[in-house]
Amino acid sequence: MALLEDLFGLKGKTALVTGGGSGLGRVIAEGYAAVGARVICADIDLSRADEVANAIVASGGQADPCRLDVWNEDSVSASVESLGNANLDVLVNFAGVATPPTMTHELSTDDWTRGVGISLTGTFFMTRAMLPKMRTNGGSIINVASILGLGGYFPDFPASSVDYAAAKAGVIGFTRQVAVEYAAEKVRANVIAPGWHGGTRLGDGRRRERTAEEEERFYTEMNRRIPMKRRGDASEILGLALYLASPASAYLTGQVITQDGGWTAC
């Protein structure tokens, strides 16, 4: 047990998780707290951040809520100030948005700007702001891309949109550059590129605009495309996120790890 705790434990570490108020971000925040980290649960919706932080504390963990809009530099600066003099050991950039699926020639400038702004520029704002908190003692930056940042997908109807694909591909390039710039200072940066997972809020915009028949077509096509014939469960992201945050991955940086049920193996 001692070896496992040394490899995968986060006792005494501070982790900030953006998008930590729901979905995969919540799973990660609660999981990190369970292995000893003090977690700053950051979300644009403070009530959701409060709920997660309170649940962690009720379970015996350490957590603080933080209202954070990753696409707002003043909000990002305030999140740095909330750390005080403490260093940051783990930064998980999970906050993102998926605009309603549409063909590229129909995509509005507003949706493009919002999609790229939150998912890519927000990742830049947070990473830039938190790096000074990580350079002294090292740490792990975990950015979230998508399988759609690795290859296009069009099953004869819009299943996503180009702003999302572009932003997630950008996150990959951004992370690799950060990884090589700060590797000598023991700051690691890696990417999780999830496939289709349940338990997230990313599909809310799609679900609001599509009929039941269109949604059924979407689910059928997704399951057909995934070799495991199912979407991932939100809880299944934790093992990978814990590995990338912990000493177990001390020699890993600049990498993209997909968790997609075999999607990218096809």
Side-chain angles (χ1 to χ4, degrees):
M1 286 297 295
L3 175 60
L4 289 178
E5 290 176 2
D6 289 343
L7 280 176
F8 296 101
L10 295 176
K11 187 175 182 180
K13 304 296 185 181
T14 298
L16 190 154
V17 182
T18 75
S22 63
L24 304 182
R26 176 171 186 162
V27 167
I28 292 171
E30 292 179 336
Y32 284 178
V35 294
R38 173 205 171 200
V39 177
I40 298 171
C41 181
D43 200 281
I44 195 168
D45 186 329
L46 182 57
S47 66
R48 290 201 298 260
D50 276 330
E51 179 185 342
V52 177
N54 289 338
I56 289 172
V57 172
S59 298
Q62 302 177 70
D64 298 290
C66 175
R67 187 195 179 280
L68 173 65
D69 179 354
V70 299
W71 196 21
N72 181 297
E73 291 185 79
D74 290 338
S75 181
V76 170
S77 295
S79 72
V80 178
E81 293 172 4
S82 72
L83 287 168
N85 295 323
N87 290 322
L88 183 66
D89 301 291
V90 182
L91 170 62
V92 181
N93 286 309
F94 224 111
V97 65
T99 55
T102 187
M103 301 271 298
T104 300
H105 70 282
E106 298 174 328
L107 182 69
S108 71
T109 301
D110 285 346
D111 277 349
W112 168 271
T113 302
R114 179 170 176 262
V116 174
I118 294 174
S119 294
L120 179 55
T121 306
T123 296
F124 162 62
F125 284 166
M126 284 300 299
T127 303
R128 181 181 63 179
M130 294 297 171
L131 274 167
K133 290 287 189 181
M134 306 183 82
R135 295 178 68 187
T136 301
N137 296 322
S140 175
I141 299 168
I142 303 169
N143 293 328
V144 179
S146 166
I147 54 174
L148 294 178
L150 296 167
Y153 179 61
F154 182 69
D156 294 324
F157 63 90
S160 184
S161 53
V162 73
D163 62 287
Y164 186 78
K168 295 307 187 180
V171 166
I172 292 170
F174 171 82
T175 305
R176 285 175 166 157
Q177 182 62 29
V178 169
V180 298
E181 287 183 13
Y182 297 95
E185 298 177 45
K186 298 182 181 179
V187 176
R188 301 181 294 109
N190 293 288
V191 176
I192 297 175
W196 182 37
H197 280 66
T200 78
R201 301 176 64 246
L202 281 176
D204 288 354
R206 184 196 74 242
R207 286 185 285 268
R208 282 194 300 266
E209 296 195 6
R210 288 190 166 173
T211 65
E213 291 76 14
E214 288 172 330
E215 275 294 275
E216 181 62 29
R217 182 186 183 193
F218 174 83
Y219 288 123
T220 298
E221 176 56 31
M222 291 295 104
N223 285 323
R224 185 199 64 78
R225 178 65 176 75
I226 300 168
M228 284 190 176
K229 303 304 179 188
R230 68 172 179 88
R231 63 183 178 177
D233 184 78
S235 64
E236 292 176 308
I237 204 77
L238 178 58
L240 181 53
L242 182 57
Y243 168 67
L244 291 175
S246 70
S249 60
Y251 198 54
L252 186 75
T253 196
Q255 302 306 305
V256 180
I257 304 177
T258 58
Q259 181 166 326
D260 61 6
W263 181 293
T264 49
C266 297

